[in-house]
Amino acid sequence: MTTVLRPHAEEQFADELAILAKTDDRPRPPGWRLSPWAVTTYVLGDGGQITPKYIGPRRIVEVAVATLATDRALLLLGVPGTAKTWLSEHLAAAICGDSTLLVQGTAGTAEEAVRYGWNYARLLSEGPSRLALTPSPVMRAMADGRLARVEELTRMPSDVQDALITVLSEKTLPIPELGEEVQAAKGFNVIATANDRDRGVNDLSSALRRRFNTVVLPVPASLEEEVDIVTRRVAQLGRSLELPETVTGLAEIRRVVTVFRELRAGVTADGRTKVKSPTGTLSTAEAISVVTGGIVLAAHFGDGVLRPADVAGGILGAVVQDPVSDRVVWQEYLETVVRDRDEWRDFYRACRDAG
């Protein structure tokens, strides 16, 4: 039993990657551990030994994989909770066997995170040298012919973003202090993720955007698809967290997903009633979190069966991000939609109690 809370994808699914590598006889791009066909199979599953890691249109994954087989970088764009980070990790794990070469974009990310830094103690004692240089994940990926991942690219300051331009266009990272450069080995590429819904984002310059092939990840197309995603991820999380056995009611999962989809869309599933949308995104990832939290409540403080009272508090916390406007939205939804559904009476009472 591992003590790691969340193993990297290449460790957690090592058996599946080994199965594909053993049977994969298709052409592989330079530096790739699997062929593009096998990478796509790993991500989407094969209905047998290979489990699906991403549930969505096959063509989207094929375009993403094909992009990484060229000299263009890949930008996964989508609203929060559309599995951008999840997909980028699994693509890196399948292609190069290492998903850890990661740059986390924040408002405080410095240029050294993209280029390189210095061991200042060594720099002062020995002067500029390769030994005093601290390579960034991007620099290491270039030298080793692997994939570098840049998370939340649009959260990084614009001048830091633009440090990628030379890397992506020339496949070279100059080190002017040493009069040297690092040239990318075959197999190198970059997967970046971004969204334009959250506050505090910095638009990409046109020069940088041209160097990416953008793939937009959509929200799940149907209720059944989103319920399937939530059910699978909740089960995986339950195993990794070693949660007690709980009777996970599919009805409660469907109810949580329905609430999120209706509030996101601004209309009920039957199209008859318009509702206001809250300020939050109410993503699939948040639905997974609500159900997982409900399972913990049911296991430790209930009778081991997921019930409306176990998810009501989580839904309230996810919906009411703004304590004024979102609370009004939630109360109106409860009284005009939830209360009128006979099969949701217990859910209505639980939400009223939670509020």
Side-chain angles (χ1 to χ4, degrees), residues 189-207:
N189 214 327
V190 172
I191 308 176
T193 67
N195 76 77
D196 54 6
R197 286 285 301 274
D198 285 350
R199 298 174 182 174
V201 299
N202 302 296
D203 290 337
L204 301 181
S205 66
S206 58

PDB file of all heavy atoms in Angstrom, residues 189-207:
ATOM      1  N   ASN A 189       8.020  19.067 -26.221  1.00  0.00           N
ATOM      2  CA  ASN A 189       6.899  19.931 -26.568  1.00  0.00           C
ATOM      3  C   ASN A 189       6.311  20.474 -25.267  1.00  0.00           C
ATOM      4  O   ASN A 189       6.747  20.121 -24.170  1.00  0.00           O
ATOM      5  CB  ASN A 189       5.832  19.183 -27.376  1.00  0.00           C
ATOM      6  CG  ASN A 189       5.157  20.095 -28.387  1.00  0.00           C
ATOM      7  OD1 ASN A 189       4.990  21.294 -28.135  1.00  0.00           O
ATOM      8  ND2 ASN A 189       4.739  19.544 -29.514  1.00  0.00           N
ATOM      9  N   VAL A 190       5.317  21.345 -25.408  1.00  0.00           N
ATOM     10  CA  VAL A 190       4.707  22.000 -24.251  1.00  0.00           C
ATOM     11  C   VAL A 190       3.196  21.810 -24.302  1.00  0.00           C
ATOM     12  O   VAL A 190       2.573  21.981 -25.360  1.00  0.00           O
ATOM     13  CB  VAL A 190       5.044  23.506 -24.225  1.00  0.00           C
ATOM     14  CG1 VAL A 190       4.256  24.225 -23.121  1.00  0.00           C
ATOM     15  CG2 VAL A 190       6.541  23.715 -24.022  1.00  0.00           C
ATOM     16  N   ILE A 191       2.609  21.441 -23.167  1.00  0.00           N
ATOM     17  CA  ILE A 191       1.156  21.422 -23.001  1.00  0.00           C
ATOM     18  C   ILE A 191       0.811  22.502 -21.983  1.00  0.00           C
ATOM     19  O   ILE A 191       1.280  22.465 -20.846  1.00  0.00           O
ATOM     20  CB  ILE A 191       0.639  20.071 -22.480  1.00  0.00           C
ATOM     21  CG1 ILE A 191       1.149  18.908 -23.324  1.00  0.00           C
ATOM     22  CG2 ILE A 191      -0.891  20.065 -22.457  1.00  0.00           C
ATOM     23  CD1 ILE A 191       0.746  17.543 -22.782  1.00  0.00           C
ATOM     24  N   ALA A 192       0.003  23.465 -22.383  1.00  0.00           N
ATOM     25  CA  ALA A 192      -0.430  24.526 -21.472  1.00  0.00           C
ATOM     26  C   ALA A 192      -1.935  24.448 -21.290  1.00  0.00           C
ATOM     27  O   ALA A 192      -2.668  23.978 -22.172  1.00  0.00           O
ATOM     28  CB  ALA A 192      -0.037  25.901 -22.024  1.00  0.00           C
ATOM     29  N   THR A 193      -2.401  24.890 -20.137  1.00  0.00           N
ATOM     30  CA  THR A 193      -3.831  24.973 -19.878  1.00  0.00           C
ATOM     31  C   THR A 193      -4.183  26.413 -19.527  1.00  0.00           C
ATOM     32  O   THR A 193      -3.356  27.143 -18.971  1.00  0.00           O
ATOM     33  CB  THR A 193      -4.265  24.053 -18.719  1.00  0.00           C
ATOM     34  OG1 THR A 193      -3.690  24.526 -17.494  1.00  0.00           O
ATOM     35  CG2 THR A 193      -3.824  22.623 -18.961  1.00  0.00           C
ATOM     36  N   ALA A 194      -5.400  26.809 -19.841  1.00  0.00           N
ATOM     37  CA  ALA A 194      -5.830  28.175 -19.554  1.00  0.00           C
ATOM     38  C   ALA A 194      -7.345  28.240 -19.555  1.00  0.00           C
ATOM     39  O   ALA A 194      -8.014  27.417 -20.179  1.00  0.00           O
ATOM     40  CB  ALA A 194      -5.270  29.154 -20.594  1.00  0.00           C
ATOM     41  N   ASN A 195      -7.872  29.223 -18.836  1.00  0.00           N
ATOM     42  CA  ASN A 195      -9.301  29.522 -18.921  1.00  0.00           C
ATOM     43  C   ASN A 195      -9.469  31.026 -18.837  1.00  0.00           C
ATOM     44  O   ASN A 195      -8.602  31.734 -18.326  1.00  0.00           O
ATOM     45  CB  ASN A 195     -10.084  28.803 -17.815  1.00  0.00           C
ATOM     46  CG  ASN A 195      -9.920  29.467 -16.464  1.00  0.00           C
ATOM     47  OD1 ASN A 195     -10.529  30.510 -16.191  1.00  0.00           O
ATOM     48  ND2 ASN A 195      -9.108  28.888 -15.597  1.00  0.00           N
ATOM     49  N   ASP A 196     -10.581  31.506 -19.365  1.00  0.00           N
ATOM     50  CA  ASP A 196     -10.828  32.948 -19.395  1.00  0.00           C
ATOM     51  C   ASP A 196     -12.057  33.326 -18.579  1.00  0.00           C
ATOM     52  O   ASP A 196     -12.617  34.404 -18.748  1.00  0.00           O
ATOM     53  CB  ASP A 196     -10.994  33.443 -20.836  1.00  0.00           C
ATOM     54  CG  ASP A 196     -12.048  32.678 -21.602  1.00  0.00           C
ATOM     55  OD1 ASP A 196     -12.736  31.828 -20.988  1.00  0.00           O
ATOM     56  OD2 ASP A 196     -12.193  32.923 -22.812  1.00  0.00           O
ATOM     57  N   ARG A 197     -12.449  32.422 -17.653  1.00  0.00           N
ATOM     58  CA  ARG A 197     -13.623  32.699 -16.837  1.00  0.00           C
ATOM     59  C   ARG A 197     -13.265  33.254 -15.463  1.00  0.00           C
ATOM     60  O   ARG A 197     -13.997  34.055 -14.892  1.00  0.00           O
ATOM     61  CB  ARG A 197     -14.442  31.418 -16.671  1.00  0.00           C
ATOM     62  CG  ARG A 197     -15.217  31.014 -17.924  1.00  0.00           C
ATOM     63  CD  ARG A 197     -16.439  31.904 -18.133  1.00  0.00           C
ATOM     64  NE  ARG A 197     -17.338  31.842 -17.006  1.00  0.00           N
ATOM     65  CZ  ARG A 197     -18.283  30.923 -16.863  1.00  0.00           C
ATOM     66  NH1 ARG A 197     -18.435  29.989 -17.770  1.00  0.00           N
ATOM     67  NH2 ARG A 197     -19.080  30.935 -15.804  1.00  0.00           N
ATOM     68  N   ASP A 198     -12.146  32.803 -14.903  1.00  0.00           N
ATOM     69  CA  ASP A 198     -11.760  33.246 -13.574  1.00  0.00           C
ATOM     70  C   ASP A 198     -11.238  34.674 -13.594  1.00  0.00           C
ATOM     71  O   ASP A 198     -10.761  35.175 -14.617  1.00  0.00           O
ATOM     72  CB  ASP A 198     -10.674  32.334 -12.995  1.00  0.00           C
ATOM     73  CG  ASP A 198     -11.238  31.012 -12.539  1.00  0.00           C
ATOM     74  OD1 ASP A 198     -12.479  30.891 -12.494  1.00  0.00           O
ATOM     75  OD2 ASP A 198     -10.454  30.111 -12.232  1.00  0.00           O
ATOM     76  N   ARG A 199     -11.289  35.314 -12.447  1.00  0.00           N
ATOM     77  CA  ARG A 199     -10.721  36.642 -12.326  1.00  0.00           C
ATOM     78  C   ARG A 199      -9.202  36.557 -12.246  1.00  0.00           C
ATOM     79  O   ARG A 199      -8.630  35.583 -11.809  1.00  0.00           O
ATOM     80  CB  ARG A 199     -11.259  37.322 -11.061  1.00  0.00           C
ATOM     81  CG  ARG A 199     -12.775  37.525 -11.081  1.00  0.00           C
ATOM     82  CD  ARG A 199     -13.273  38.053  -9.749  1.00  0.00           C
ATOM     83  NE  ARG A 199     -14.721  38.200  -9.739  1.00  0.00           N
ATOM     84  CZ  ARG A 199     -15.434  38.539  -8.675  1.00  0.00           C
ATOM     85  NH1 ARG A 199     -14.827  38.767  -7.526  1.00  0.00           N
ATOM     86  NH2 ARG A 199     -16.745  38.637  -8.754  1.00  0.00           N
ATOM     87  N   GLY A 200      -8.543  37.651 -12.639  1.00  0.00           N
ATOM     88  CA  GLY A 200      -7.094  37.710 -12.517  1.00  0.00           C
ATOM     89  C   GLY A 200      -6.343  37.040 -13.643  1.00  0.00           C
ATOM     90  O   GLY A 200      -5.215  36.597 -13.464  1.00  0.00           O
ATOM     91  N   VAL A 201      -6.957  36.939 -14.832  1.00  0.00           N
ATOM     92  CA  VAL A 201      -6.267  36.320 -15.956  1.00  0.00           C
ATOM     93  C   VAL A 201      -5.630  37.391 -16.828  1.00  0.00           C
ATOM     94  O   VAL A 201      -6.067  38.541 -16.870  1.00  0.00           O
ATOM     95  CB  VAL A 201      -7.226  35.464 -16.806  1.00  0.00           C
ATOM     96  CG1 VAL A 201      -7.807  34.341 -15.977  1.00  0.00           C
ATOM     97  CG2 VAL A 201      -8.347  36.312 -17.400  1.00  0.00           C
ATOM     98  N   ASN A 202      -4.551  36.998 -17.513  1.00  0.00           N
ATOM     99  CA  ASN A 202      -3.833  37.893 -18.425  1.00  0.00           C
ATOM    100  C   ASN A 202      -3.942  37.308 -19.824  1.00  0.00           C
ATOM    101  O   ASN A 202      -3.515  36.172 -20.056  1.00  0.00           O
ATOM    102  CB  ASN A 202      -2.365  38.010 -18.010  1.00  0.00           C
ATOM    103  CG  ASN A 202      -2.196  38.518 -16.595  1.00  0.00           C
ATOM    104  OD1 ASN A 202      -2.568  39.641 -16.288  1.00  0.00           O
ATOM    105  ND2 ASN A 202      -1.642  37.688 -15.716  1.00  0.00           N
ATOM    106  N   ASP A 203      -4.488  38.065 -20.736  1.00  0.00           N
ATOM    107  CA  ASP A 203      -4.646  37.572 -22.101  1.00  0.00           C
ATOM    108  C   ASP A 203      -3.293  37.247 -22.721  1.00  0.00           C
ATOM    109  O   ASP A 203      -2.285  37.913 -22.471  1.00  0.00           O
ATOM    110  CB  ASP A 203      -5.349  38.632 -22.964  1.00  0.00           C
ATOM    111  CG  ASP A 203      -6.809  38.803 -22.579  1.00  0.00           C
ATOM    112  OD1 ASP A 203      -7.372  37.865 -21.993  1.00  0.00           O
ATOM    113  OD2 ASP A 203      -7.359  39.891 -22.853  1.00  0.00           O
ATOM    114  N   LEU A 204      -3.285  36.197 -23.541  1.00  0.00           N
ATOM    115  CA  LEU A 204      -2.069  35.844 -24.251  1.00  0.00           C
ATOM    116  C   LEU A 204      -1.804  36.838 -25.362  1.00  0.00           C
ATOM    117  O   LEU A 204      -2.727  37.307 -26.025  1.00  0.00           O
ATOM    118  CB  LEU A 204      -2.187  34.442 -24.847  1.00  0.00           C
ATOM    119  CG  LEU A 204      -2.441  33.275 -23.884  1.00  0.00           C
ATOM    120  CD1 LEU A 204      -2.489  31.975 -24.669  1.00  0.00           C
ATOM    121  CD2 LEU A 204      -1.374  33.213 -22.821  1.00  0.00           C
ATOM    122  N   SER A 205      -0.540  37.169 -25.567  1.00  0.00           N
ATOM    123  CA  SER A 205      -0.193  38.016 -26.702  1.00  0.00           C
ATOM    124  C   SER A 205      -0.457  37.244 -27.991  1.00  0.00           C
ATOM    125  O   SER A 205      -0.433  36.006 -28.010  1.00  0.00           O
ATOM    126  CB  SER A 205       1.280  38.428 -26.629  1.00  0.00           C
ATOM    127  OG  SER A 205       2.117  37.292 -26.787  1.00  0.00           O
ATOM    128  N   SER A 206      -0.691  37.978 -29.063  1.00  0.00           N
ATOM    129  CA  SER A 206      -0.953  37.311 -30.342  1.00  0.00           C
ATOM    130  C   SER A 206       0.267  36.511 -30.792  1.00  0.00           C
ATOM    131  O   SER A 206       0.135  35.451 -31.410  1.00  0.00           O
ATOM    132  CB  SER A 206      -1.327  38.351 -31.404  1.00  0.00           C
ATOM    133  OG  SER A 206      -0.302  39.323 -31.554  1.00  0.00           O
ATOM    134  N   ALA A 207       1.474  36.994 -30.461  1.00  0.00           N
ATOM    135  CA  ALA A 207       2.695  36.278 -30.843  1.00  0.00           C
ATOM    136  C   ALA A 207       2.770  34.922 -30.150  1.00  0.00           C
ATOM    137  O   ALA A 207       3.163  33.921 -30.759  1.00  0.00           O
ATOM    138  CB  ALA A 207       3.923  37.117 -30.493  1.00  0.00           C
TER     139      ALA A 207
END
